Amino acid sequence: MIRILRSGINSADEIFDRSIPTDDVSDVVRGIIEDVRLNGDRALLAYCEKFDKAKLDTLEVSEEEIAAAFEAVEPEFIETLRLAAENIRAFHSHQKRSSFVISEQAGVITGQKITPIEKVGLYVPGGTAAYPSTVLMDSIPAKIAGCSEMCITTPPSPDGSVNPAILAAARIAGADRIFKVGGAQAVAALAYGTETIPKVDKIVGPGNAFVAEAKRQVFGMVSIDMIAGPSEILVIADGKSNPAFVAADMLSQAEHDRNAAAVLVTDDLALAEAVSAELEKQLPLLPRYEIARASIDNNGKIIVVENFDSVIDVANEIAPEHLELCVDNPFDYLDKVKNAGSIFMGRYCPEVLGDYLAGPNHTLPTSGTARFSSPLSVDDFVKKSQFTYYTGEALSAVADKLALFAEKEGLSAHARSALVRFEEKK
């Protein structure tokens, strides 16, 4: 059963597994990356056969396969995908930044130029569950940013096919190319390029420990979004909350992964005990019972604090990926929340809204990293360049100060580059 803790603020280290990848994982991934870098498509095809049991002739998904996917997916789900895409576009469109120019001093112009990252690769898992929602959440912001090419990699089934829902979501999101490659080898292909898969500038998307480690190892060769850990939810609930609602919301994350963490923070012991009982009641009803059971037993916690004023302090210390405020007036608490990936407000706003339909992104900082990082956004798919323009008169006015600053740092060539322009010609 889930542990009920009587305590105050708990460290994120007590809640989440922040273990460093084992040498075995690191070494295996390093070997796969090197193999793909040297042998390209030949290595990818061999790994598809080895790990996915798929013997492929070609790595790229064809237009015919995408068309067949739309036929295979029920129309109601296609309609749902389109609704989700519409909401995601509406939300992320507000994140677009503009370049700016400052010209407040005579002869001086400075500014910032926003430029989309040209090529982006999205990794979509295909293991214990397929996630068309990830396709929408990670592709649409890239397209809004103006990225010229969005490539998706996802593992094939043994028969060489790709989950039709993923293909349908990819087309709705505007993805340009889709490849049947999974695991660390897909990350390597996107980082270095092969005969079929183009080298990209940034890799985004979740994955297992091998995918996460591959992203870690290729960082620097390409940009990455984050190293995502297991899913987590922290529910803040008062004594008026429905324990069945709270338990269901906790299980919505526990079913993701055996290492997922579901946490309740409350000041009401009776609610804590009722939620514990509800978890035991609802768990056997889940098709993914064994995964959710392991998550609740190993990582689930109910933290009971002395008064409700302390619940936000606990949440800020833990810095959860998902934070639910199950209270009557959630906006009274919003400004007090300092560390959280995505915040769900009120008794009728389950975290599942964020996973699929509401519009805010579901690719979020995990393992307490919400203390210093943010959800995936349009900002992740642009880069910023600065520019400066001075006339001769404007430079002349500050040349001596430039030289003084440079000499203070012992950099005489810096000083001369400012002064040489105003030396009298002999």
Side-chain angles (χ1 to χ4, degrees), residues 24 33 54-55 57 168 176 213 279 298 305 316 335 356 359 376 394 414:
D24 287 346
I33 291 173
K55 193 170 180 62
D57 295 321
D176 298 292
E213 177 60 16
L279 288 169
N298 298 330
V305 297
N316 283 331
D335 285 347
Y356 301 122
L376 191 77
H414 281 60

Side-chain angles (χ1 to χ4, degrees), residues 5 21 30 68 113 149 167 170 181 199 206 250 263 280 285 310 312 315 349 353:
L5 308 175
R30 190 173 294 108
K113 178 179 178 291
E149 188 168 14
L167 296 183
V181 186
K199 180 183 185 303
M250 293 173 72
V263 180
E280 295 307 311
L285 306 177
S310 302
I312 300 296
C349 191
L353 276 167

Side-chain angles (χ1 to χ4, degrees), residues 211-217 219 224-229 366-367 369:
V211 172
E213 177 60 16
K215 287 171 69 177
R216 191 194 312 273
Q217 289 191 22
F219 176 64
I224 62 172
D225 52 350
M226 62 185 76
I227 304 293
T366 60
S367 306
T369 60

Side-chain angles (χ1 to χ4, degrees), residues 97-317:
R97 292 177 180 264
S98 299
S99 301
F100 64 80
V101 176
I102 303 171
S103 56
E104 297 171 354
Q105 303 176 53
V108 176
I109 300 173
T110 57
Q112 180 172 276
K113 178 179 178 291
I114 304 293
T115 307
I117 293 173
E118 288 189 25
K119 295 183 179 181
V120 175
L122 165 58
Y123 184 86
V124 179
T128 57
Y131 298 115
S133 57
T134 294
V135 176
L136 300 180
M137 291 288 181
D138 290 19
S139 298
I140 290 172
K143 285 298 180 178
I144 290 171
C147 299
S148 59
E149 188 168 14
M150 163 60 77
C151 298
I152 291 177
T153 62
T154 192
S157 299
D159 64 1
S161 66
V162 171
N163 185 294
I166 288 177
L167 296 183
R171 178 47 51 87
I172 289 168
D176 298 292
R177 301 177 72 184
I178 309 164
F179 301 99
K180 303 175 184 180
V181 186
Q185 58 271 26
V187 175
L190 291 169
Y192 290 97
T194 71
E195 297 90 333
T196 299
I197 299 178
K199 180 183 185 303
V200 301
D201 304 307
K202 184 160 190 169
I203 299 172
V204 301
N208 62 19
F210 291 90
V211 172
E213 177 60 16
K215 287 171 69 177
R216 191 194 312 273
Q217 289 191 22
V218 301
F219 176 64
M221 173 63 63
V222 294
S223 175
I224 62 172
D225 52 350
M226 62 185 76
I227 304 293
S231 273
E232 2 164 309
I233 185 170
L234 189 151
V235 180
I236 287 175
D238 60 19
K240 294 162 63 177
S241 299
N242 186 320
F245 295 179
V246 175
D249 291 357
M250 293 173 72
L251 291 174
S252 74
Q253 295 308 293
E255 74 171 349
H256 266 298
D257 189 300
R258 294 173 182 272
N259 296 316
V263 180
L264 165 64
V265 183
T266 183
D267 64 340
D268 191 294
L269 180 59
L271 176 72
E273 291 172 342
V275 169
S276 178
E278 270 293 331
L279 288 169
E280 295 307 311
K281 180 180 176 181
Q282 294 183 30
L283 267 165
L285 306 177
L286 299 178
R288 293 167 67 86
Y289 166 78
E290 300 224 351
I291 292 173
R293 175 87 267 174
S295 167
I296 291 296
D297 288 348
N298 298 330
N299 305 308
K301 292 180 179 66
I302 297 175
I303 301 171
V304 182
V305 297
E306 289 187 4
N307 56 71
F308 204 74
D309 292 338
S310 302
V311 294
I312 300 296
D313 293 334
V314 175
N316 283 331
E317 178 65 25

Side-chain angles (χ1 to χ4, degrees), residues 81 228 350 396:
L81 286 174
S396 176

Side-chain angles (χ1 to χ4, degrees), residues 56-127:
L56 303 178
D57 295 321
T58 180
L59 293 167
E60 187 161 6
V61 173
S62 68
E63 286 296 323
E64 291 75 17
E65 288 174 288
I66 295 172
F70 271 90
E71 292 295 323
V73 176
E74 61 268 39
E76 184 179 2
F77 187 60
I78 295 293
E79 182 181 340
T80 300
L81 286 174
R82 293 191 191 281
L83 173 61
E86 180 181 335
N87 290 341
I88 294 165
R89 286 191 187 96
F91 179 85
H92 289 81
S93 292
H94 287 276
Q95 296 176 337
K96 286 198 73 172
R97 292 177 180 264
S98 299
S99 301
F100 64 80
V101 176
I102 303 171
S103 56
E104 297 171 354
Q105 303 176 53
V108 176
I109 300 173
T110 57
Q112 180 172 276
K113 178 179 178 291
I114 304 293
T115 307
I117 293 173
E118 288 189 25
K119 295 183 179 181
V120 175
L122 165 58
Y123 184 86
V124 179

